[in-house]
Amino acid sequence: KTPLKHVDSCKLKIRLVLVVLAYLLVSAGQWFQADVFERLDAAVVDRLAPLVPGSPDGGPGGDPIVYINANFYYDRSYHARVIRNLAALGVASQFVDFVFEENLGDENDRQMVAAIASAGSVYLGVAFEDLDHPAPGIRDQSSKQAVDYMDRTKWWVDLVSPPDHFYVGHTLRMTASRLATAAKGSGFLNLKVDGDGVLRSVPLLVRYRGALYPSFAFRAACDYLGVSQADIVVEPGKSITLRGAGAGPGGTSRDIVIPIDDCGRMIVNFESARTPIRHYSYRDVFRAFEDPNVSDRLQGEIPGKIAIISENVEADVNVRPAAGERRLTSGAVHTVIIRNILTESFLWRLPAGAGRAIEIALMAAVFGISLAFSSIGMIVGGLLISGLYAAGGILAFSEMKVIVPFAAPILMTILAGMLVLITLAVEGVVLLSRTEKAKQLAEHELDIGRQIQAGFFPTVLPEADGWEVAAHFQAARHVSGDFYDAFPLAGPKHIGLVIADVCDKGVGAALYMAIFRSLVRILSHASAAENGREAAPCSIDPPRILTRTIRAVNDYISVTHEKDGMFATIFFGILDTENGDLFYINGGHEPPLIVGPRGVEAHLMPTGAAVGAYPDLSYEVGRIRIGPGETFFGYTDGVTEARSPSGEAFTRDRLDARAAALPPGAGRLVDGIRKEIDRFAAGGELVDDITLLAVGRPQDLS
């Protein structure tokens, strides 16, 4: 333990700077890849979703919703008869999850119009071709008839602030005018999924031609609760309040507050699907008054309910895993949304301001621990802080249905702890370097720093059928600015390969090595995650991942750390292990070799400048195929700058010649070059760090 009075102002400032650096680093990642961090948090919540208790009975009075299996392609006279029968059975309202676009003008059409008008409580769906964020220049191609209908049915609600970020509907598909005129109202049917194809939240209101329109499910809930447009208060980014909402027929009124984001989206609590939706076949409702047994059962079960008439052919919507289901029909999703509103079983997002306050509090805790404890205490304290936060986030979600951010705060805590740990090792060296005892303690602290830095290197190299991966690292000092990495991306098919050298040497280079390595690993995984957590590995886009990752790292280092003048030469490649294609960006690094049966067959020359030197640099993506019997070999300049006792440099030519003469294979190549450098240097002191990385594809002997 280190008494606080012994922590001088210089050390305090250094640790404060490191903690702030970790905060800014992760904040920059959120700035560059905001959607990726959101999806990482969403992936965590997907795993925690089963912890949320479901609605056991659908709210007061039992589940108020019944689901009618139907088929859009039935004759409209069939739909007319079902609508009449449901009205006769006493349902509160009927919501038809179809878009009947054509005016047929025949007897069947007239029967359906008459049935809808007679029932007096039928709502028909409309759909937009697309829902998108507001953007200039998007042309709406809705028919004049559709525009006129929407102008007549627009909603006038109490807006606390302008809904500037609400989704905008484009090109309306509306129900046939004869049917729409007879219906009590309508709502849009669109269900907008996230970028990974999973539905987690839904817009309750969208903008169209300057007005607001409700979703199908939101309209159903408002109708059942007896809430008019005048009773709805919308505060974008915060909530939609239904004032004086009733709990169904005869219920007690109350205010229902629905949490929404800036886009007007409500997070769907799919755990309410634990209570099975009461299904009825279209045939039973069609013949309700022909079979006394069926008639008695229906008359005892569905009066006063909301009837959702929807197609039940296939589960065509991917949803957050809940109640054992990953795919639901659109009608089932609408039902879950209605249940969420009626039972007030909402999931709440932690406000952005509160999230920032939590991140600052975590950084303050790390800073306090760094002042009070040494390396071991710092490790234990950092793990304890991260664990307590994760446990608190899980508890907040499971008990209070509050979604807190996980990825950014925990990443900040870990990164701040690692940076401080390296600095603690350095402080130990400076503090105890004047005596022999100080030297021994300094060596111990530096060993801790070396062990910490060793944690940045992969402990296990990835394995793939038909491939061999080998690596070697030797530091010229206790800590190094070199690093290599090899890791699978979105599955075993694609392997990320990184070898890099941070400018300068020693502790400063080691600290920036931690930053560069963390950024490359985090942002490349984040970019790969955009293809969907359950997508096939082959669906990733290596050039896009490479470009986005390197550009983001370059812009962050060059802008945020401009005064330090730090940069790194980086070779980052993504290998397709099925066909041998290697996509890569070489940011000013030593050209890796492709070694084959005929010797050195290619040099992978730089495709851009060193990373972090200047902002807004462009990088080209190279591509080469590694064939059977060929090996990729990357290295840092510590190899070519190794010196013999006489001062002679190892040189690239010597490296090429030795690599061509060695037996094929990644392991043999790495081992052979390492031994050749040792022989050449004859036990002398290394000038620079030596890092080797090889990936070989053995010769196909079949």
Side-chain angles (χ1 to χ4, degrees):
K1 190 170 183 178
T2 305
L4 294 181
K5 65 181 181 180
H6 292 157
V7 180
D8 59 36
S9 60
C10 180
K11 293 178 181 178
L12 186 147
K13 291 177 181 177
I14 291 174
R15 296 177 193 181
L16 180 60
V17 167
L18 291 175
V19 171
V20 172
L21 174 64
Y23 178 85
L24 293 176
L25 180 64
V26 178
S27 296
Q30 290 178 285
W31 177 263
F32 285 113
Q33 300 285 344
D35 55 337
V36 174
F37 275 85
E38 290 178 2
R39 291 176 192 173
L40 290 174
D41 285 334
V44 175
V45 176
D46 287 348
R47 299 297 184 270
L48 299 179
L51 298 178
V52 176
S55 303
D57 59 1
D63 193 347
I65 308 167
V66 295
Y67 189 101
I68 313 297
N69 297 331
N71 189 316
F72 170 76
Y73 296 103
Y74 284 151
D75 190 286
R76 288 189 183 178
S77 64
Y78 283 44
H79 294 301
R81 181 169 173 177
V82 167
I83 290 170
R84 286 195 300 270
N85 287 352
L86 287 171
L89 290 167
V91 297
S93 56
Q94 302 180 46
F95 284 79
V96 183
D97 184 17
F98 303 139
V99 178
F100 297 99
E101 292 188 77
E102 297 181 356
N103 279 308
L104 300 181
D106 59 8
E107 178 59 29
N108 294 333
D109 210 359
R110 286 189 289 273
Q111 289 182 37
M112 189 170 177
V113 170
I116 292 172
S118 175
S121 59
V122 178
Y123 294 82
L124 302 176
V126 298
F128 296 100
E129 289 294 335
D130 188 27
L131 296 179
D132 208 343
H133 291 291
I138 298 178
R139 183 179 179 184
D140 181 67
Q141 298 181 357
S142 304
S143 66
K144 182 179 184 305
Q145 189 179 57
V147 171
D148 291 342
Y149 174 76
M150 295 299 278
D151 284 342
R152 293 195 306 271
T153 59
K154 66 182 67 173
W155 269 31
W156 299 102
V157 299
D158 186 359
L159 285 170
V160 176
S161 60
D164 294 333
H165 299 287
F166 276 27
Y167 285 117
V168 175
H170 304 292
T171 309
L172 180 71
R173 293 172 49 223
M174 69 165 286
T175 299
S177 59
R178 297 180 64 194
L179 303 181
T181 302
K184 188 175 181 181
S186 64
F188 67 86
L189 301 173
N190 301 70
L191 297 171
K192 190 171 181 63
V193 299
D194 291 347
D196 59 0
V198 177
L199 180 74
R200 297 185 179 92
S201 58
V202 293
L204 300 183
L205 293 166
V206 299
R207 294 193 295 163
Y208 180 73
R209 296 176 62 84
L212 292 178
Y213 295 88
S215 72
F216 190 68
F218 186 53
R219 182 66 184 262
C222 291
D223 176 81
Y224 185 79
L225 294 168
V227 176
S228 67
Q229 301 171 33
D231 296 322
I232 299 174
V233 181
V234 179
E235 189 169 357
K238 186 175 180 181
S239 64
I240 296 176
T241 302
L242 308 181
R243 295 181 301 196
T252 303
S253 65
R254 79 269 192 203
D255 288 350
I256 295 178
V257 180
I258 307 170
I260 61 170
D261 62 10
D262 289 336
C263 300
R265 296 176 299 185
M266 178 191 83
I267 303 174
V268 184
N269 178 7
F270 285 102
E271 282 304 309
S272 65
R274 288 182 184 178
T275 305
I277 304 168
R278 188 179 292 275
H279 281 64
Y280 295 91
S281 73
Y282 202 73
R283 177 183 177 84
D284 282 349
V285 178
F286 184 81
R287 303 179 60 191
F289 297 104
E290 295 179 6
D291 186 333
N293 293 328
V294 173
S295 178
D296 291 343
R297 179 168 62 88
L298 293 177
Q299 288 179 352
E301 294 176 353
I302 70 173
K305 308 288 186 180
I306 302 172
I308 303 294
I309 304 173
S310 182
E311 202 162 19
N312 195 30
V313 177
E314 59 179 348
D316 56 357
V317 181
N318 289 324
V319 300
R320 170 175 281 151
E325 298 289 342
R326 288 181 178 272
R327 292 172 66 84
L328 295 175
T329 62
S330 61
V333 173
H334 293 312
T335 301
V336 172
I337 299 168
I338 297 170
R339 277 184 174 176
N340 285 177
I341 297 173
L342 298 186
T343 61
E344 300 180 63
S345 54
F346 305 120
L347 299 178
W348 295 79
R349 293 180 179 87
L350 193 71
R356 287 297 178 191
I358 288 174
E359 293 171 353
I360 293 172
L362 290 174
M363 293 298 96
V366 173
F367 177 67
I369 290 175
S370 73
L371 298 180
F373 295 96
S374 62
S375 300
I376 301 301
M378 185 70 202
I379 293 173
V380 174
L383 293 175
L384 183 61
I385 291 173
S386 298
L388 288 175
Y389 176 75
I394 294 172
L395 185 65
F397 182 75
S398 60
E399 297 298 325
M400 297 180 287
K401 300 179 183 177
V402 175
I403 297 176
V404 303
F406 285 94
I410 292 177
L411 182 59
M412 284 180 183
T413 303
I414 293 173
L415 185 58
M418 289 191 299
L419 294 176
V420 171
L421 281 170
I422 294 177
T423 305
L424 285 173
V426 177
E427 289 175 357
V429 175
V430 175
L431 181 65
L432 303 173
S433 61
R434 294 182 180 181
T435 64
E436 186 62 25
K437 181 180 178 180
K439 183 178 179 180
Q440 294 175 358
L441 290 174
E443 289 290 335
H444 175 68
E445 292 291 335
L446 283 173
D447 284 339
I448 292 176
R450 183 168 56 247
Q451 293 170 13
I452 293 169
Q453 190 178 39
F456 285 97
F457 294 93
T459 56
V460 178
L461 294 173
E463 297 180 356
D465 292 338
W467 293 88
E468 178 189 12
V469 183
H472 170 72
F473 169 75
Q474 185 175 356
R477 301 183 183 182
H478 284 85
V479 289
S480 166
D482 280 14
F483 71 93
Y484 72 89
D485 205 355
F487 50 91
L489 273 171
K493 177 186 174 183
H494 292 91
I495 296 177
L497 303 172
V498 183
I499 186 164
D501 186 359
V502 179
C503 68
D504 206 354
K505 299 177 178 62
V507 175
L511 290 174
Y512 272 90
M513 169 267 193
I515 296 173
F516 275 101
R517 186 267 184 190
S518 299
L519 279 172
V520 171
R521 174 74 79 105
I522 293 167
L523 294 178
S524 60
H525 275 298
S527 295
E530 292 182 340
N531 294 275
R533 294 183 58 85
E534 299 185 17
C538 61
S539 67
I540 74 169
D541 184 356
R544 182 170 178 265
I545 295 172
L546 291 167
T547 302
R548 292 189 67 178
T549 300
I550 294 300
R551 283 183 177 175
V553 174
N554 176 77
D555 290 347
Y556 173 75
I557 296 295
S558 61
V559 174
T560 307
H561 304 288
E562 179 184 10
K563 293 182 179 180
D564 294 341
M566 297 297 287
F567 60 86
T569 64
I570 298 178
F571 179 92
F572 181 20
I574 297 177
L575 174 64
D576 187 332
T577 59
E578 288 188 0
N579 57 26
D581 281 350
L582 175 66
F583 297 86
Y584 66 91
I585 286 178
N586 185 342
H589 195 72
E590 294 289 321
L593 314 177
I594 301 298
V595 183
R598 296 182 297 276
V600 176
E601 299 181 355
H603 293 83
L604 307 186
M605 303 304 292
T607 61
V611 179
Y614 303 100
D616 300 321
L617 292 176
S618 296
Y619 294 89
E620 295 183 3
V621 176
R623 178 178 182 178
I624 193 169
R625 174 160 293 187
I626 301 175
E630 295 180 346
T631 301
F632 163 89
F633 180 75
Y635 59 97
T636 56
D637 59 9
V639 173
T640 55
E641 294 175 1
R643 299 287 174 176
S644 68
S646 63
E648 180 184 5
F650 192 81
T651 73
R652 289 183 184 177
D653 291 340
R654 191 185 302 271
L655 175 63
D656 286 4
R658 186 55 186 161
L662 288 169
R668 293 189 184 94
L669 187 55
V670 168
D671 192 53
I673 297 298
R674 177 184 60 80
K675 291 179 179 178
E676 182 66 15
I677 294 171
D678 289 344
R679 185 197 63 77
F680 181 80
E685 185 176 349
L686 291 178
V687 177
D688 199 356
D689 310 317
I690 291 178
T691 306
L692 309 175
L693 176 64
V695 181
R697 187 176 187 180
Q699 183 71 43
D700 186 2
L701 301 178
S702 60

